[in-house]
Amino acid sequence: MAAAFLLIAVVLTSGVILVGAAVGLIGVHPVVRFLAIAALVLLVLLVARGGRRFRRIAINVSELVDAAGRIEAGDYGVQVAERGPREVRTFARAFNAMSARLAATDRDRRAFVADLAHEFRTPLAIIRGQAEGIGDGVYPGDAQHVAPILDATNSLETLVEALGTMTLADVGSLRLHREAVDVAVLVNSSLSAFQSMADAAQVRLVADVAADIPAIDADPARIRGVLANLLSNAIRYTPAGGVITVSAQRAGDSVSIAVRDTGQGIPEELRPRVFERFVKAAGSPGAGLGLAIARDIVVAHGGTIDLTSEVGKGTEVRLTLPIAH
């Protein structure tokens, strides 16, 4: 009899919590509310299937409710035992998979915030140091001492713009003003914009665009920004006397555009992670966001981007974009 009363108490408590969370009477995280609704449905189904089965899952449901509460409190890595009837095991596996994803997302978020704070710290330190020096009379307020402030401000502006692009890409709200874009014009105008930088680095720029190549369906400003990032990287890491070639050719229903250099190449251990955020080679002056943003933009177009590299021989970044119809 005592066991029966205990079972009833557990069931009623679980039911009240589940119903309250499901309908919003109990303030919970949206994820927890979804779990409550799912668990409530599971509970009802099992009750309908028979008392014995119902008694077997009462404690399991209570564990799920407790785990959902722990997720609400921030313990995203909580796992539940995958035991009991088939329905309960299936629900528990789904719960654990969701919990694992939440934990991974939380780790990524924390790492992103830490990296972001690091990237902001350097230009802010430069601005503050130079400004204090000028304000205290240590430095004269001339162009030479104001220039570092302007450079650091430009770095911050670029970083903020990059973060805006990534945020929009993450939520699927990256707006593209698509139109038919002439690939030859796109490639040649991009090379012309970097000609003076290439001349200063004593690097030769070459265009290799196939004849009669079709137009691509793309946002010209966004794709020009992708090529600008690839070209600036290539020029920065290609020694004097090197060559950078931008080629374009048709590839089925897409156009393949490649930026190939004869530079120093990317270390093998870094290659698998080059499209991740804040990943960069030692000594790189950038924030490590350029290739990540390039990937976001190309993917938003429905295209692909990949990289091949060999230390001492150079790097090639190839992207494909859909043909305009």
Side-chain angles (χ1 to χ4, degrees):
M1 182 66 68
F5 278 115
L6 177 60
L7 174 62
I8 292 171
V10 170
V11 170
L12 288 177
T13 302
S14 300
V16 169
I17 293 173
L18 290 172
V19 173
V23 301
L25 295 177
I26 299 175
V28 294
H29 192 280
V31 171
V32 179
R33 182 169 299 163
F34 169 79
L35 289 170
I37 294 171
L40 183 60
V41 172
L42 178 64
L43 188 62
V44 172
L45 289 175
L46 290 171
V47 169
R49 294 189 61 173
R52 179 182 298 178
R53 200 172 188 82
F54 177 57
R55 288 191 296 271
R56 290 174 61 192
I57 60 89
I59 301 301
N60 301 73
V61 172
S62 180
E63 289 179 357
L64 287 169
V65 173
D66 178 66
R70 290 171 62 186
I71 287 181
E72 182 189 10
D75 184 7
Y76 299 116
V78 63
Q79 298 280 286
V80 296
E82 299 178 13
R83 63 172 182 268
R86 178 174 57 83
E87 295 90 341
V88 177
R89 294 198 307 272
T90 300
F91 186 80
R93 279 194 294 271
F95 181 97
N96 290 338
M98 182 212 66
S99 176
R101 287 194 296 271
L102 285 174
T105 299
D106 186 58
R107 287 193 301 271
D108 291 343
R109 178 186 61 82
R110 292 175 185 273
F112 179 80
V113 171
D115 289 336
L116 184 60
H118 174 76
E119 293 300 330
F120 270 107
R121 189 174 296 116
T122 299
L124 286 174
I126 293 173
I127 292 172
R128 180 174 182 174
Q130 290 295 117
E132 287 181 346
I134 293 173
D136 293 341
V138 177
Y139 306 138
D142 55 15
Q144 178 183 353
H145 293 90
V146 171
I149 296 177
L150 295 177
D151 289 342
T153 303
N154 288 335
S155 296
L156 286 175
E157 184 178 10
T158 300
L159 184 57
V160 169
E161 184 177 350
L163 292 172
T165 300
M166 290 190 301
T167 300
L168 291 174
D170 284 345
V171 298
S173 299
L174 185 61
R175 296 184 60 185
L176 300 176
H177 302 284
R178 303 176 80 137
E179 60 183 72
V181 179
D182 187 307
V183 178
V185 172
L186 175 69
V187 169
N188 286 305
S189 62
S190 297
L191 290 175
S192 296
F194 282 87
Q195 189 61 60
S196 59
M197 182 179 177
D199 290 342
Q202 301 180 47
V203 172
R204 186 160 60 95
L205 301 180
V206 177
D208 181 17
V209 180
D212 301 324
I213 192 168
I216 56 175
D217 178 31
D219 182 328
R222 295 284 190 185
I223 297 303
R224 193 171 286 112
V226 171
L227 291 179
N229 176 264
L230 299 181
L231 285 169
S232 62
N233 283 345
I235 294 172
R236 183 179 297 118
Y237 296 110
T238 300
V243 179
I244 297 171
T245 303
V246 181
S247 60
Q249 59 186 3
R250 182 165 185 161
D253 291 332
S254 302
V255 168
S256 174
I257 302 175
V259 178
R260 184 175 65 255
D261 64 57
T262 57
Q264 64 189 48
I266 299 173
E268 183 177 358
E269 65 274 10
L270 199 62
R271 289 174 212 158
R273 302 176 57 234
V274 292
F275 292 109
E276 296 178 14
R277 296 169 182 180
F278 296 108
V279 172
K280 58 181 181 179
S284 174
L289 294 175
L291 287 177
I293 293 174
R295 178 201 56 195
D296 289 342
I297 292 174
V298 172
V299 170
H301 278 81
T304 63
I305 184 168
D306 58 71
L307 176 146
T308 57
S309 184
E310 188 174 351
V311 175
K313 293 188 176 181
T315 299
E316 177 179 289
V317 180
R318 182 176 298 274
L319 54 107
T320 62
L321 295 165
I323 291 174
H325 295 289

